[in-house]
Every structure is written in C-alpha cells, then in structure tokens.
Amino acid sequence: MCRWLGYFGEPIRPEELLYVPEHSLIVQSQRSEQMAHPLNGDGFGLGWYGLRDEPGVYRSPSPAWSDRNLREISAQVESPLFLAHVRASTGTPSQQTNCHPFRLGRWLFVHNGFINEYQRVHRELLLAVDPELFDNIEGTTDSELLFHLALTFGLRDDPVGALERMAGFVEQTCERQGIDTPLQMSVGVSDGERLWAVRYASGPEVNTLYVSAEAHSVRELYPDRERLQHFSDETRIVVSEPLVNLPGVWHELAPGTALVVQGGQDEMRPFAPRVPAGV
Amino acid sequence: MCRWLGYFGEPIRPEELLYVPEHSLIVQSQRSEQMAHPLNGDGFGLGWYGLRDEPGVYRSPSPAWSDRNLREISAQVESPLFLAHVRASTGTPSQQTNCHPFRLGRWLFVHNGFINEYQRVHRELLLAVDPELFDNIEGTTDSELLFHLALTFGLRDDPVGALERMAGFVEQTCERQGIDTPLQMSVGVSDGERLWAVRYASGPEVNTLYVSAEAHSVRELYPDRERLQHFSDETRIVVSEPLVNLPGVWHELAPGTALVVQGGQDEMRPFAPRVPAGV
Amino acid sequence: MCRWLGYFGEPIRPEELLYVPEHSLIVQSQRSEQMAHPLNGDGFGLGWYGLRDEPGVYRSPSPAWSDRNLREISAQVESPLFLAHVRASTGTPSQQTNCHPFRLGRWLFVHNGFINEYQRVHRELLLAVDPELFDNIEGTTDSELLFHLALTFGLRDDPVGALERMAGFVEQTCERQGIDTPLQMSVGVSDGERLWAVRYASGPEVNTLYVSAEAHSVRELYPDRERLQHFSDETRIVVSEPLVNLPGVWHELAPGTALVVQGGQDEMRPFAPRVPAGV
Amino acid sequence: MCRWLGYFGEPIRPEELLYVPEHSLIVQSQRSEQMAHPLNGDGFGLGWYGLRDEPGVYRSPSPAWSDRNLREISAQVESPLFLAHVRASTGTPSQQTNCHPFRLGRWLFVHNGFINEYQRVHRELLLAVDPELFDNIEGTTDSELLFHLALTFGLRDDPVGALERMAGFVEQTCERQGIDTPLQMSVGVSDGERLWAVRYASGPEVNTLYVSAEAHSVRELYPDRERLQHFSDETRIVVSEPLVNLPGVWHELAPGTALVVQGGQDEMRPFAPRVPAGV
C-alpha cells in the first residue's frame, strides 16, 4: 500500500504539494491517516513533465522524509503536471526499480494497492505482457506489471479502456487460480497532456482517492488561505488522502470510477473491468 | 529519539531478539509503543562481540525493517554480548556515520535521547573532546559526541563515573547558554565484559528503560514459552521498551539509575551527574 | 564482466582473501589486471557457509572498496567455504538483487561473463525456468537467470551436467536468433560441501580462471611467506585472476573445463555444453 | 583527488557536459586520464543556479556512472552556471555530506586536492572556522573545511583574497606541525554571478586545470562540430581535464593562477597565499 498524488494546472514547483501542506505527501510517508499501517517508508518517486518530451523521473528506495535530494529537485523544477508516490512495500524489495512512477516514453504510472497472492500469478501475468514491452520491466512489483499489462492492452490509445481490460484480465487470471478479491488499485496515469485517475477494487474494501474541488469554489471557501488563491481554475489535485483538512476542498471519488483531468471539462465515468477480447 | 537493546548471556544469534519476539526491535523500528512518534526509520546498527578482540559493527542508514543484510548477519553470527539500535533522527542526516553503536577499540556505545538545542552547544562540546580522540568522531550526532565526552572523562577506567561527568559537563555547558532541561539519555555501553545501562534526564520526562528479570523466575512464570526456557540464569536483556508483553518479565529502571550487568551479581546504583574536576 | 573467488579449506575469515593479499579481490574491484576495463564497481557480494544450514549472503550495490560493513563482516565470521564477487554491470541496474552470489536453499552461484545480446533472448530464457523456481528470481541479470536455468536442468542432482545443459540451451536459443558467440562464463557453484568451477565460452575468447596449487607445494615454493604456511593440504582457492603474483601458486584452468573441489581428490573434466533432452 | 567542471554561459542542460562529450565528466568518473589512479567512484554532485535564489544541489555517495537520477536531473534542468564534481576519497567516508559541491546560501564550492596529513591538523583548522558558520559543516572532508575557512576569511566579499588567506592559513598551520607541501588544490567557487577558479599547490606537483578558449575561436577551429557551434561568445568551461581532445580548445591555467569568469572580460591573476592578518 502506498500514497500518491497527481497535479494538473499551471506550472508549480512540486515542493508546494510535497512539503508545504499540513498533511503533505512527505508527512504521509511517515504517518498517513487513512491506512491500517501508517508508514510509507520503502522508497518514493517523482515524475514530472518539464523541458523535454519525456518526463523526468527521480526515484529512490530511501525514505522520502529524509531525502535531501528530493527537497532540492522539487524546489528547482517547475511542472504543469506531475505524479509523486511514497511506497509501502507489500513484499518486494526496497530498490529503485520498484519505485513509482514507472515510465514508458511519455507515459507515467503510479499505483496504490496490490494483486492478491501475487506470487501465484506473477509468472502467468508476466507472460501476457507484449514481448516488445518486456524489457522495459526492470523491477519485480505487481504495480509495474499492471502498468505493462495496461500498455499491452492499449493504454496509449485508450487509457481507461486499457485499464479496464488490465483489471479484467488480472481478475480472470486470479480467479482461475481460486484467488479471492484479486485486485486493489488506485491508479494515476499521464501522457503529459491529461491525467487519468482510477479508484477500483475487486471486493468491498476500496482504497481511498480524492480530487480537489474547482479552484474558484475553493478560493471562495477559504479567502484567507493565501496558498489556495494562486491556483488557476484549471487546477486539479488527485490524492490518496487529503493534503489539508479543509471541508469542501476534496471530493472523494466513488469506488469504480475513472476520472480524466484535462484542459476544458474534466470527465468522470464508471470503471468496469472487462476481459480483453481474444484472451 | 531511538530504540535500543543490549544482550548479555550465553552466546545467541542476534536474530533471536531482533526479529523473533512479538514486539522485536525490528517491529519497534516501524511502530514503537512508548514514543510520541512511533517511527525509528533513520538507520540502525548492530555491534557484537565475537571472534575478534574488537567487536564487529554493522550499520546502515536504511530502515532496519527492509534491510536484508541485517537479517543475514544476525542469523549467521553468535555473540554473548551485543548492542542493537534503531534510529529516529532529531535533525542530523541519515548516514552510516550517524548510526549507533559508536565504537572505539573494544568499546561500544548506544544512546536514546538528545542534547536540547544541540546546535547552540555543538562546537563548544566538540572542543572539550580529548584531541587524541578527535579523529574518531566521524559523524555529526549529539550521541557520538556524548560518547567521546564520556571517553574524555575516563569511560574506559570508570564507566559510570565518566558518564556522570559527561552528563554534568553537558548540563553545565547548556545551562550557561540558558538551555533548559539539557539532557535526555538512556545509554548502553560495553567493553565486551560488562554491559552498563543508564537511564537519566535533566528534567522530569525521562525516556524509558527496562531490564529483564532473572531468567529462572521468568521461566517459572512462563513454563510453556519455549524460547524463554533456554536463557541461562546469567542472561540479561536491557531494552528501551519491552520485546514481549508478559507481566513480570521486565523491570523498569528508575530514572537516575545506572545498571551494571556482569558475571556474578549485577549492580544497580544511583546515577548522579557531576561537573568534572578542573572544568 | 566481474571478478570472483571461491575458497575451500579449513575455516578462515574471508578478509584473509578479500583484503590482505597484494592483489586482493577488493583491489581488483578498483583495478583488475586481466580485463579490458579494470573496474568492478557496480556492487559486490559475499556468500559463506557458517553456523546455519543455509549460507549467509551479504550483498550491496555500493562499490566494494568503500564498504565498511564488508570489512567488518569478513573479519567477524569464519567459514570453510565461501564465494565472493565484485560486479561490473553489463547494463542491468546497480541494485542489491543484481549482486552475486545468488542463492537457493543451500546453493550459491557466482558468474563472470554475459549472454550476448541478452535483451533479445531474456524473455524466452525466462520462460524456460521451472515455474516452481520462478519467484526466486528477484533481479534482472543474465547471471541470475543462468543460475535458475541450471537449477531447472538439475543443478542440485548433477551440477556439471546441469551447467552443461544450461550452456547448451542458452547457445541453442541464441543461435536460433542469429546471435554470435552467445555465452561467456566462468561460474562458481557450491552446496556447502563441494565447490564447482567452470571456465567456458562459446567463442575463442574465454575469461580467465585459476585454481591454487596444492598447499604443500606452495609452502615449499615460498617457505618465508607466513600466510601461505597455515593453509591446509585440502585448501583450494579459485579466482578470476591471481590474488598474488607468485610463480607456481596458480594454475590456469583450460577453456572448456569443469573443476570439482572437494574433500579427498579434486576432479577436473571437460565441460561440454549439450542441449537438454526434450527441448 | 577528484575531477570537476564549471560552466558559465547561456543556459544549457548539464547533460551536455556531463554525458555527451567523448571524455565527459561521467567517463572521467570511471577512467580519468590525468590522474595516477584513474577512478573517481566515491560519489558525485551537481550544483546549479536555476529557478531560485539558492542553487540546487544533487549529491550522492554512489558512483556517478550508474546513477540514473543524475541522468534525469541533468537532462531536465537548464542552467547558465553550474559546478559538477566526481569524487575520489582520500580517506573520509563515502557519504552524501562528503560530496561536493558544498553550499552556503548562494555560494557553491568544489575542490580537487587535499590537505597533507589532514588528520594531524583537522581539529586545529576546524577551530579556526567562524563559530557562526560551524554548524553548516556536515561532513568530514578537508574540502568542506577549506570552504568554511575561506568563508571565515571573507569569501563572500573578496573571493580570491579569501582563498589566498585560506591557503596561507592552512600552509602556516601545517608547517608549524612539520607537514611538508601542505596543500594541493584546484578550486571552483560561484555565487551565481561569477565563477572563480584557482589552480595552486604548495609544492612543485600541481593538479591540472583548464579553461575553454573563446567560443568564436573554437567555432572557427572546428566548423563541422555542431555542438561547439551553439556556445555563445561568453561561454567558458573550466575543467580538471579536457572533455574532448581537440587542439586549441583548452588552455591550461598556469600553477598559481586565479581566474574570474564573468560577464564582459574575464580576469586572470596570480594566486598568492598569505597568512590572514591577526592569525
């Protein structure tokens, strides 16, 4: 289990969300509030769209709270779209290649959750990854594998559809092995233009996911909060758990929901796993 | 703030105390129970007396809970006397040279606590260290400095006396600067023959410290606990907080107490800081 | 490409071979003499048979030369059989799970060499690993994969035969893809009782491998070298390149040779890759 | 001993100098050409002036050649002035706080060289540091200490003069202890506006230092080299050893020289250590 956030809006320094808020992602790395175990100390990562076509990625297996380089970098770059993640391992080693975000070309992926009894299906799921993509897998997490299954099922052309096919495929594979409630996932994906966020689980327990309210209504609610004033109307922040405890600022996504954050109107739609054709 | 343990008895593998108990030191690295903040994720160390005159020391700035090498080493060595420590930094960097135990020759030192407003007295205290010992200081913690002050004041000849002089000197130095309640310390020291443990603080709040009851009475209390049966009558375990929650197994040291664990009868005496002569 | 050594004999502290000799393995990590690029700075590992059935393994992605913990551990354990390795990556990340030795139960494996154009056959070779063994693979190196292929082909029952089948299988797989001179390997394997060493390559360039001469003849050659005197007649050291530059102390294994170091008479036999039956 | 470079000119991505040239700084971390031992694998750092008043600093004790984050960051920031350093320890630990550049406010400092018999004068030199600056010292290197001595002697007001006083003070202190040829230093300093570079040693052996020729003459020399064409006339690169082997591109600084790279005309003057007044 992990905590993550995604930002979409006018360019800001990532430190504004990683360090400054009362319950910032760095604070959550030490003591999150909406998890059975509050600790996310098994590494972290920041992926940001900046000067180049490809996003930059800074990942480390060290705890986020004591990493001085993260503080430097998140203060020295500006980005209109970034994903950050603090990791709580569900068994795989603490190493850089197991840290989120995972990347392929312009695409970034973060995940909170797990595949239930992952070891029993690891090999079978890995074999389903497009051989062309196989060598982009560098670590051993279920999360990185979910990303590559989604890529295999068309993430770059139809993000939500591909995530639904990925989820359907994982559920089908697990169920064939008699594994209950196979999938727990909140997922963040971006290509540098849009930010997709999904909240879903196979069973009744579903990890939380929130999106910030429209900036103008937030500003009206809290006219004295200086930091909130400078966010543009387009700004959206997606988080595993709120960064500040202010009523009206965060909307919880319903379980089984996909959100598309983009220029103009955002979209919200049901997220319905389906087994990919031909599988 | 930190958690530590010291073991004195027949040779065992350190894993027996680091990993096996319900509330082992590794568990305490993630969620200790007797601290305001339960996290001790800023590195760790194990110092053990083994095959050589000098103790071995394995230290790392990584979190203890995910360090695979610690698991290996603590399963592959045997020792009749060892000190282990999980670190919660009070500001100094997460780096190997800031991890406990600190060592000089045959001597090991672990510490839980802090010097209040350390930065204001750091330089002055450092200057008081015996110039011969100066280059044995490799890190930047108050803890390592306390060790070298105690060495300066005669730790190798008169351990408890030297710790009292160290505490007295630190308190005097801080008080001259107007610093309140200067010292918080539970300390473990060994030369491979004995294990000294001190519980002390300048003010009314004093970090906890416990010592295990005599092994034979523990065995009588819990005749069904297999693991407890194989500890010899000489065995003593000193801990920041209990490793198992069993009534009668742990005695809390009173604040202001020094304990000497040794062959034959252990000793318990008041710990009374005093300003060293000539200072 | 990498450097490694294997020791078989009376129990010694690994530091005797890792640090003490003029051209020790640690020196080789900075400047080996028999490699095109002399640097082996991408991590290291020590696997030793000691107090438990399973060997201990200490691995780290840091350079061996500056690792203080390696110095401690190799001075504090004693072992009659150990394998040590310093790594020069051929492309896969510097991370603990890519460091040698690799382990399964009582078995250890170290490798110097590579699979040519590994990325083109990685997936196919991985699929050939026994599914029961699949989740023991934690890294991404060709070396770890070679180990698991050898295990798949019977390493634990017939070590040299299984290594031959592994080599034959890799060569066949690569050749089907049009890959020239697929395999370069010097390999060390142990189960704690014996030490197997193989020198082989598909093409005419074959990485070096040496075994120490019989201890009694070494002692006669160099009666004044104190360190050489205390090795027993059973002692054998296998190395990628000599630890000391003394004529008569090291015998080069011929390319295409397998050596079995064991109690009693050692064995030397040709190493002949063959495609496993049923593949 | 170490290798470093400083860049002054129109904003570029640091990767252009760190990775792209034939004999880039990253190549030099593995095999420099102008050192007795070619290896600079004990950590690295990049300090760059960018979006904020304070420069960003990314430092790590890992080898530069395998650090993926350095590659990311040096591709994702742009800077008109940066300093980069690869470290070869002369004895102090491989840890982040011992990596260059060192920083105070807007000031950055990199160093190649050493104080001879540093341990004999470490304490005395440390005591000479302005107590106000004392707690900015986080590591244990002679280099960081040289920086803080220069700060103590007025670096921020009179950079070259302060470096001369620092050198004079170190030489005097060492000579009083009977230490020969006390100082070896090539130093790079910046405040974000100018770049100061000094080549100096107490004895006849002086570490190399080069500065790039004027960009227009470089372009004329190599009209076909595309990369050279886009450097502006103001551009200057200062390096421990050349990044490309092209005659006419690099001028060696004479021993005992200070260079000031700045907007308008650069300055070159003799560097003459002098004992600071009142010492």
Side-chain angles (χ1 to χ4, degrees):
Chain A
M1 309 286 277
C2 312
R3 301 283 86 169
W4 62 268
L5 70 77
Y7 173 84
F8 178 99
E10 73 282 3
I12 64 167
R13 295 173 188 160
E15 65 174 357
E16 281 203 57
L17 302 186
L18 268 57
Y19 290 92
V20 177
E22 292 92 312
H23 192 60
S24 72
L25 196 69
I26 300 304
V27 172
Q28 292 179 30
S29 73
Q30 293 188 283
R31 38 180 189 280
S32 73
E33 286 171 0
Q34 304 196 352
M35 295 169 74
H37 294 294
L39 184 52
N40 296 283
D42 297 321
F44 66 85
L46 170 68
W48 73 99
Y49 295 89
L51 300 179
R52 303 186 63 145
D53 282 346
E54 275 204 9
V57 173
Y58 174 55
R59 301 188 296 172
S60 165
S62 304
W65 63 78
S66 59
D67 194 86
R68 293 168 164 221
N69 290 321
L70 178 60
R71 197 171 251 285
E72 296 287 320
I73 291 155
S74 67
Q76 289 282 354
V77 300
E78 277 191 354
S79 170
L81 207 172
F82 57 87
L83 287 161
H85 186 276
V86 291
R87 183 170 182 245
S89 168
T90 51
T92 44
S94 283
Q95 59 188 22
Q96 190 182 27
T97 53
N98 283 348
C99 293
H100 310 220
F102 302 102
R103 176 176 61 189
L104 182 74
R106 282 187 61 77
W107 291 80
L108 290 177
F109 180 94
V110 293
H111 170 234
N112 166 30
F114 55 84
I115 298 173
N116 202 7
E117 301 189 51
Y118 172 47
Q119 292 207 320
R120 288 176 55 196
V121 291
H122 180 188
R123 183 174 180 275
E124 187 172 349
L125 293 176
L126 193 62
L127 298 199
V129 170
D130 180 348
E132 298 286 311
L133 300 171
F134 190 82
D135 271 318
N136 195 56
I137 298 179
E138 294 195 310
T140 51
T141 59
D142 47 3
S143 303
E144 190 186 23
L145 184 45
L146 294 179
F147 177 37
H148 286 81
L149 287 171
L151 286 163
T152 299
F153 297 135
L155 186 75
R156 288 168 288 189
D157 296 318
D158 169 19
V160 177
L163 291 167
E164 288 175 331
R165 288 186 286 277
M166 172 271 274
F169 179 74
V170 170
E171 291 184 332
Q172 186 197 49
T173 304
C174 288
E175 279 155 12
R176 253 197 331 249
Q177 302 284 341
I179 298 171
D180 268 350
T181 55
L183 194 56
Q184 177 67 262
M185 67 177 233
S186 83
V187 158
V189 174
S190 184
D191 64 350
E193 304 291 327
R194 286 178 179 77
L195 171 62
W196 291 267
V198 172
R199 183 183 181 200
Y200 176 75
S202 310
E205 234 178 283
V206 191
N207 289 348
T208 53
L209 197 61
Y210 300 83
V211 62
S212 60
E214 297 196 352
H216 67 85
S217 64
V218 169
R219 284 194 302 270
E220 277 164 35
L221 274 172
Y222 301 97
D224 298 339
R225 289 248 167 179
E226 202 180 321
R227 199 142 41 74
L228 298 174
Q229 305 312 312
H230 82 87
F231 286 119
S232 76
D233 283 352
E234 287 282 22
T235 298
R236 279 289 186 287
I237 308 170
V238 181
V239 291
S240 299
E241 65 183 64
L243 304 176
V244 289
N245 193 358
L246 295 177
V249 169
W250 304 100
H251 298 323
E252 189 172 352
L253 267 74
T257 302
L259 167 71
V260 191
V261 179
Q262 55 193 347
Q265 192 63 38
D266 294 344
E267 287 171 42
M268 190 91 84
R269 47 173 275 198
F271 181 83
R274 65 200 68 195
V275 178
V279 170
Chain B
M1 308 286 276
C2 313
R3 302 283 85 170
W4 63 268
L5 71 76
Y7 173 84
F8 178 99
E10 74 282 1
I12 64 167
R13 293 170 189 162
E15 66 174 354
E16 282 202 57
L17 302 186
L18 268 58
Y19 290 93
V20 177
E22 291 91 313
H23 192 61
S24 72
L25 196 69
I26 300 304
V27 172
Q28 292 179 29
S29 73
Q30 293 187 283
R31 42 182 185 279
S32 73
E33 286 171 0
Q34 305 196 350
M35 296 169 74
H37 293 297
L39 183 53
N40 295 283
D42 297 321
F44 67 85
L46 171 68
W48 73 100
Y49 296 89
L51 300 179
R52 303 186 64 145
D53 283 347
E54 274 204 8
V57 173
Y58 174 55
R59 300 188 296 173
S60 166
S62 305
W65 63 77
S66 59
D67 193 86
R68 295 170 163 219
N69 290 321
L70 178 60
R71 197 170 252 286
E72 296 287 319
I73 290 154
S74 67
Q76 290 282 353
V77 300
E78 276 190 355
S79 169
L81 208 172
F82 57 87
L83 287 162
H85 186 275
V86 291
R87 183 169 182 247
S89 169
T90 51
T92 44
S94 284
Q95 59 188 22
Q96 189 183 28
T97 54
N98 283 349
C99 293
H100 311 221
F102 302 102
R103 175 175 63 188
L104 182 74
R106 282 187 61 76
W107 290 79
L108 290 177
F109 179 94
V110 293
H111 169 234
N112 166 31
F114 54 85
I115 298 174
N116 202 7
E117 300 189 50
Y118 172 48
Q119 291 207 322
R120 288 176 55 196
V121 291
H122 180 188
R123 183 173 180 275
E124 187 173 349
L125 294 176
L126 192 62
L127 299 198
V129 170
D130 181 349
E132 299 286 310
L133 300 170
F134 190 83
D135 270 319
N136 194 57
I137 299 179
E138 294 195 309
T140 51
T141 59
D142 48 3
S143 303
E144 189 186 23
L145 185 45
L146 293 180
F147 177 38
H148 286 82
L149 287 171
L151 286 163
T152 298
F153 296 135
L155 185 76
R156 287 167 289 189
D157 296 319
D158 168 20
V160 177
L163 291 167
E164 289 175 330
R165 287 185 287 277
M166 171 271 273
F169 179 74
V170 171
E171 291 184 331
Q172 187 197 45
T173 305
C174 287
E175 280 155 12
R176 253 198 330 250
Q177 301 285 341
I179 298 170
D180 268 349
T181 56
L183 195 56
Q184 178 66 261
M185 67 177 233
S186 82
V187 158
V189 174
S190 184
D191 64 351
E193 304 291 326
R194 288 178 177 76
L195 171 63
W196 291 268
V198 171
R199 182 184 182 200
Y200 175 75
S202 309
E205 232 179 284
V206 191
N207 290 347
T208 54
L209 197 62
Y210 299 84
V211 62
S212 60
E214 299 197 350
H216 67 86
S217 63
V218 170
R219 284 194 302 269
E220 275 164 38
L221 274 171
Y222 301 98
D224 298 341
R225 289 247 166 179
E226 204 179 321
R227 199 143 40 75
L228 298 173
Q229 305 310 313
H230 83 88
F231 286 118
S232 77
D233 283 353
E234 287 282 24
T235 299
R236 279 288 186 288
I237 307 170
V238 181
V239 292
S240 299
E241 65 183 63
L243 303 177
V244 288
N245 192 358
L246 295 177
V249 169
W250 304 100
H251 297 325
E252 189 172 353
L253 268 74
T257 302
L259 168 71
V260 191
V261 179
Q262 55 194 347
Q265 191 63 38
D266 293 345
E267 285 171 44
M268 189 90 85
R269 43 174 278 199
F271 181 84
R274 65 199 69 197
V275 178
V279 169
Chain C
M1 309 285 277
C2 312
R3 302 283 85 170
W4 62 268
L5 69 76
Y7 173 83
F8 178 101
E10 75 282 2
I12 64 167
R13 294 171 188 161
E15 66 173 355
E16 282 203 56
L17 302 187
L18 268 57
Y19 290 92
V20 177
E22 292 92 312
H23 192 61
S24 71
L25 196 70
I26 299 305
V27 172
Q28 292 179 30
S29 73
Q30 293 188 283
R31 40 179 186 282
S32 74
E33 286 171 359
Q34 305 195 352
M35 295 170 74
H37 294 295
L39 185 52
N40 296 282
D42 297 322
F44 67 86
L46 170 68
W48 73 99
Y49 296 90
L51 301 179
R52 302 187 65 146
D53 283 346
E54 274 204 9
V57 172
Y58 174 56
R59 301 188 295 172
S60 165
S62 305
W65 64 77
S66 59
D67 193 87
R68 294 167 165 222
N69 290 321
L70 178 61
R71 196 170 252 286
E72 296 287 319
I73 290 154
S74 68
Q76 290 281 355
V77 300
E78 277 192 354
S79 170
L81 208 172
F82 58 87
L83 288 162
H85 186 275
V86 291
R87 182 168 183 247
S89 168
T90 51
T92 44
S94 283
Q95 59 188 22
Q96 189 181 29
T97 53
N98 283 349
C99 293
H100 311 220
F102 302 103
R103 176 175 63 188
L104 182 74
R106 281 188 61 76
W107 291 80
L108 290 177
F109 180 94
V110 292
H111 170 234
N112 167 30
F114 55 85
I115 299 173
N116 202 7
E117 301 189 50
Y118 172 47
Q119 291 208 322
R120 288 177 53 197
V121 291
H122 179 189
R123 184 174 180 276
E124 187 172 350
L125 294 176
L126 192 63
L127 299 198
V129 170
D130 180 348
E132 299 286 312
L133 301 170
F134 190 83
D135 269 319
N136 195 55
I137 298 179
E138 294 195 310
T140 51
T141 60
D142 48 3
S143 302
E144 189 186 24
L145 184 46
L146 293 180
F147 176 37
H148 286 81
L149 287 170
L151 286 163
T152 299
F153 296 135
L155 186 75
R156 287 168 289 188
D157 296 319
D158 169 19
V160 177
L163 291 167
E164 288 175 331
R165 287 185 288 277
M166 172 270 275
F169 179 75
V170 171
E171 290 184 333
Q172 187 197 48
T173 304
C174 287
E175 279 155 13
R176 254 198 328 251
Q177 301 284 341
I179 297 171
D180 268 349
T181 56
L183 194 56
Q184 178 66 262
M185 68 177 232
S186 82
V187 158
V189 174
S190 184
D191 64 350
E193 303 292 327
R194 288 178 177 76
L195 171 62
W196 291 267
V198 172
R199 183 185 181 199
Y200 176 75
S202 310
E205 233 178 283
V206 191
N207 289 348
T208 53
L209 198 61
Y210 299 84
V211 62
S212 61
E214 300 196 350
H216 67 85
S217 64
V218 170
R219 285 194 301 271
E220 276 164 36
L221 274 172
Y222 300 97
D224 298 339
R225 289 249 166 178
E226 203 179 320
R227 200 143 38 75
L228 298 174
Q229 305 310 312
H230 82 88
F231 286 119
S232 77
D233 283 353
E234 288 282 22
T235 300
R236 279 288 186 289
I237 308 170
V238 181
V239 291
S240 299
E241 66 183 62
L243 304 176
V244 289
N245 192 357
L246 295 176
V249 168
W250 304 100
H251 298 324
E252 189 172 352
L253 268 74
T257 302
L259 168 69
V260 190
V261 179
Q262 54 193 348
Q265 191 62 40
D266 293 346
E267 285 171 43
M268 190 90 84
R269 46 173 276 199
F271 181 83
R274 66 199 68 196
V275 177
V279 170
Chain D
M1 309 286 278
C2 313
R3 301 284 86 169
W4 62 268
L5 70 76
Y7 173 84
F8 178 100
E10 74 281 2
I12 64 168
R13 293 171 188 160
E15 67 174 353
E16 281 203 59
L17 302 185
L18 268 57
Y19 289 92
V20 177
E22 293 91 311
H23 192 61
S24 73
L25 196 70
I26 299 305
V27 172
Q28 292 179 30
S29 73
Q30 293 188 284
R31 38 181 189 280
S32 73
E33 286 171 0
Q34 305 196 353
M35 294 170 75
H37 294 295
L39 184 54
N40 296 282
D42 297 321
F44 65 86
L46 169 68
W48 73 100
Y49 296 89
L51 300 179
R52 302 185 66 145
D53 283 346
E54 275 205 8
V57 172
Y58 173 56
R59 301 188 295 172
S60 164
S62 305
W65 64 79
S66 59
D67 193 87
R68 294 168 164 221
N69 290 321
L70 178 60
R71 197 171 251 287
E72 296 287 319
I73 291 154
S74 67
Q76 289 281 353
V77 301
E78 277 191 354
S79 170
L81 208 172
F82 57 88
L83 287 161
H85 186 276
V86 291
R87 184 169 181 246
S89 168
T90 52
T92 44
S94 284
Q95 60 188 21
Q96 189 182 28
T97 53
N98 283 348
C99 292
H100 310 221
F102 302 102
R103 175 176 61 188
L104 182 75
R106 282 186 61 77
W107 291 79
L108 291 177
F109 180 94
V110 293
H111 170 233
N112 166 30
F114 55 86
I115 298 173
N116 202 8
E117 301 188 50
Y118 172 47
Q119 292 206 321
R120 288 176 54 197
V121 292
H122 179 188
R123 183 173 181 276
E124 188 173 349
L125 294 176
L126 192 63
L127 299 199
V129 170
D130 180 348
E132 299 286 311
L133 300 170
F134 190 82
D135 270 319
N136 195 56
I137 298 179
E138 294 194 311
T140 51
T141 60
D142 47 3
S143 303
E144 189 186 23
L145 185 45
L146 294 180
F147 177 38
H148 286 81
L149 287 171
L151 287 163
T152 299
F153 296 136
L155 186 75
R156 286 167 289 187
D157 296 319
D158 168 20
V160 177
L163 291 167
E164 288 175 331
R165 287 186 287 277
M166 173 270 275
F169 179 75
V170 170
E171 291 184 332
Q172 187 198 47
T173 304
C174 287
E175 278 155 13
R176 256 201 326 253
Q177 302 284 342
I179 297 170
D180 269 350
T181 56
L183 195 55
Q184 178 68 260
M185 67 176 234
S186 83
V187 157
V189 174
S190 185
D191 64 350
E193 304 291 326
R194 289 178 176 75
L195 171 63
W196 291 268
V198 171
R199 183 184 181 200
Y200 176 74
S202 309
E205 233 177 282
V206 191
N207 290 347
T208 53
L209 197 61
Y210 300 84
V211 62
S212 60
E214 298 195 351
H216 67 85
S217 63
V218 170
R219 286 194 301 270
E220 276 164 36
L221 275 171
Y222 301 97
D224 298 340
R225 290 247 165 178
E226 202 179 321
R227 199 143 39 75
L228 299 173
Q229 304 312 311
H230 82 88
F231 286 119
S232 76
D233 283 353
E234 287 282 23
T235 299
R236 279 288 186 287
I237 308 170
V238 181
V239 291
S240 298
E241 65 183 65
L243 304 177
V244 290
N245 192 357
L246 295 176
V249 169
W250 304 100
H251 299 324
E252 189 172 353
L253 267 74
T257 303
L259 168 70
V260 191
V261 179
Q262 55 194 347
Q265 191 63 38
D266 293 345
E267 286 171 43
M268 189 90 84
R269 46 173 275 198
F271 182 83
R274 65 200 68 196
V275 178
V279 169

